[in-house]
Amino acid sequence: MIEFLKEVIGLYVERGPWFLELLAAHVRLSLMAIAIAGTLGLVIGIVLSEYRKAAPFVIGICNVFYTIPSISMLGILIPLLGIGDKNAVTAISIYALMPMVRNTYTGLTTVDKDILEAAKAMGSTRIQTLTRVTLPLAFPVILTGLRSMTVMAISMCGLASYIGASGLGKAIYRGISIYNPQMTFAGSILIALLALTADLLLGFAEKLYKKKRGMQ
């Protein structure tokens, strides 16, 4: 095992620029998918919190997308978007919608009704209540969904190389193709570290927010 790890480290040293290029591409793809899914998920969750009768149907559709194997989602979109980064970002965005929609809806609909009534009694409009009261109180729950979505998106980007997209998945795919376990491990561990770093940063942001708002 020690010898294996030495070979992996040697691979990083020997092909450092290549791995850095793949890492940068992986971050770029992940951020694009996270931005799209995060924005759409937040908007859909807010709309569903206002029109709750539609929530079971819409969340059900998101759950269906979420149950589709990630590699299948990438393949399904090939006839429409071809291969490459566009396909990868679209597939990951669709796949990542569910945790964001669910947590946004849950966070907004579980805010104490007495607080909402107090806001209305003070003359706050619907928009003011949403932006100044409901969203801030629901933010920790929404951020939990963002954390789940972020880790999932970073991980799924590793599969995108199978449809010609960039990212660290290329190292994994090449390692499998030429039977080089060291290269496969090198790509995999970078994806895992990237996902872990993102999760830790978002977790730290969540703790700071809760401390600032006096939620803990």
Side-chain angles (χ1 to χ4, degrees), residues 79-141:
L80 296 174
L81 300 173
I83 61 174
D85 291 354
K86 184 187 294 186
N87 183 324
V89 171
T90 303
I92 296 168
S93 298
I94 294 173
Y95 199 72
L97 270 177
M98 195 278 283
M100 196 65 189
V101 172
R102 181 189 59 196
N103 279 56
T104 301
Y105 175 76
T106 301
L108 292 175
T109 55
T110 54
V111 173
D112 193 328
K113 293 182 179 179
D114 291 338
I115 297 176
L116 299 179
E117 290 298 327
K120 292 179 182 178
M122 294 176 66
S124 298
T125 64
R126 202 169 184 176
I127 297 297
Q128 289 174 332
T129 301
L130 175 65
T131 56
R132 299 179 183 178
V133 179
T134 315
L135 276 175
L137 290 175
F139 185 74
V141 180

Side-chain angles (χ1 to χ4, degrees), residues 12-53:
Y12 285 140
V13 173
E14 179 185 347
R15 308 199 63 176
W18 183 65
F19 278 107
L20 286 175
E21 181 182 343
L22 295 183
L23 178 62
H26 200 99
V27 171
R28 177 176 56 82
L29 282 180
S30 298
L31 287 177
M32 289 173 64
I34 291 167
I36 293 171
T39 302
L40 287 177
L42 182 66
V43 171
I44 293 172
I46 291 173
V47 172
L48 291 181
S49 70
E50 296 292 328
Y51 303 95
R52 300 188 185 185
K53 289 184 179 180

Side-chain angles (χ1 to χ4, degrees), residues 96-200:
L97 270 177
M98 195 278 283
M100 196 65 189
V101 172
R102 181 189 59 196
N103 279 56
T104 301
Y105 175 76
T106 301
L108 292 175
T109 55
T110 54
V111 173
D112 193 328
K113 293 182 179 179
D114 291 338
I115 297 176
L116 299 179
E117 290 298 327
K120 292 179 182 178
M122 294 176 66
S124 298
T125 64
R126 202 169 184 176
I127 297 297
Q128 289 174 332
T129 301
L130 175 65
T131 56
R132 299 179 183 178
V133 179
T134 315
L135 276 175
L137 290 175
F139 185 74
V141 180
I142 297 173
L143 189 55
T144 300
L146 179 62
R147 289 176 67 180
S148 299
M149 180 189 71
T150 298
V151 172
M152 186 277 301
I154 292 172
S155 300
M156 189 174 171
C157 273
L159 294 173
S161 62
Y162 286 92
I163 49 97
S166 54
L168 289 165
K170 282 190 173 182
I172 298 174
Y173 182 74
R174 182 172 298 182
I176 293 173
S177 300
I178 63 177
Y179 191 65
N180 186 333
Q182 292 82 0
M183 183 173 289
T184 301
F185 183 82
S188 300
I189 199 67
L190 284 176
I191 293 175
L193 289 174
L194 182 61
L196 180 61
T197 300
D199 186 60
L200 289 175

